[in-house]
Each structure stands twice: as C-alpha cells, then as structure tokens.
Amino acid sequence: LKTVAEALQGALVDLVDLSLVAKQIHWNIVGPRFRSVHPQLDEVVASARTHSDTVAERASALGVPPDGRAATVSSTSGIKTTPSGWIKDGDAVGAMVDALGSVITRMRERVHTTEAPDPVSQDIFIQITADLEKHHWMFQAENA
C-alpha cells in the first residue's frame, strides 16, 4: 500500500500544481497568440482539476488521506516555478510544454510502480497520462 499511497499523493500534488501553473500563465499571457493559447490553458486547468479529484478520491477509498494543501504542493511538486509577471506567448507555451512533460514523466513512473500492487490505480494513471499527453502534444505544436 505504501507504494500506491506515495504514487497517489505524488500525482495529487502534480495535478494541483499543474492546474495552478496553467491558471497563473492564463492570467498573465500576452502576445499575438493570446487568443488561441488562453482557452487552451483553461482546458489544462479543467483537466488537472478533474484528475486531481479522481486521484484524491482513489486515495481516500484506499484509506490514504490525500493532502492537497498549499504548503504540501509547494514543497513537494516537481514542476518548475512559474515566472511572475507578464509571460510572452512563446514563453508561456514553452513553460506549459515543460510542466506537462515533467508531470507526464512522473505519471509514467507511477503507471509502472502501481502495475503489480494496484491495477485499479494504475488504470487511473494510464488515463491521466493519455489526457496529459494530448495537452502536451497540442502545446508542442504551438511552438513547432
């Protein structure tokens, strides 16, 4: 259960932080691609929030208390800090490519580590990874 609990908690933190990063960029993006990237950021926020709820509820179902507090997210997230102030559209897209790539890497590790101990949690991680990879692809295409 320890491996699964750690995977779920790590995923929760990553997803909460991803939603915060995407929203911060959403509020501060500037540049000619503002109109196309702005709603795309909200799609990531919605997706990350939905998945964080699924992960937290799975943890609860297994008797593991989920911890999405700001201090926990801040101290344990694997996503790089988002720059403050206005963010040029190209930099915003690059930041999202990096953030999504970072989370996807850790989600794929969670897929692997939960395979034997908990295929149900593994299935959740597989679904999350597929969704995040779609967002990642779309942001990569913005800066191609």
Side-chain angles (χ1 to χ4, degrees):
L1 183 63
K2 183 176 187 252
T3 300
V4 176
E6 288 172 357
L8 289 164
Q9 179 58 38
L12 177 61
V13 165
D14 278 351
L15 291 163
V16 169
D17 200 22
L18 181 62
S19 73
L20 294 171
V21 165
K23 194 48 105 169
Q24 179 67 24
I25 294 170
H26 171 89
W27 292 326
N28 289 285
I29 187 171
V30 294
R33 291 186 290 162
F34 169 86
R35 299 237 337 135
S36 64
V37 176
H38 196 252
Q40 196 175 345
L41 290 161
D42 268 342
E43 291 173 16
V44 172
V45 171
S47 182
R49 287 179 179 168
T50 297
H51 292 313
S52 66
D53 198 45
T54 300
V55 166
E57 288 175 356
R58 178 66 184 159
S60 293
L62 296 176
V64 176
D67 186 354
R69 295 173 300 160
T72 302
V73 173
S74 175
S75 65
T76 60
S77 174
I79 300 174
K80 287 192 281 185
T81 303
T82 307
S84 62
W86 303 120
I87 304 170
K88 293 274 192 188
D89 51 9
D91 294 336
V93 170
M96 286 307 300
V97 168
D98 289 347
L100 285 160
S102 179
V103 173
I104 289 165
T105 297
R106 286 188 300 285
M107 284 297 174
R108 285 187 161 276
E109 291 167 4
R110 294 173 186 121
V111 167
H112 176 71
T113 62
T114 56
E115 179 180 10
D118 187 12
V120 175
S121 292
Q122 181 196 38
D123 185 55
I124 290 169
F125 294 136
I126 289 169
Q127 292 174 38
I128 293 169
T129 303
D131 191 40
L132 295 179
E133 285 177 343
K134 180 178 149 195
H135 290 299
H136 190 241
W137 159 63
M138 291 184 174
F139 276 103
Q140 284 177 314
E142 285 281 342
N143 270 355

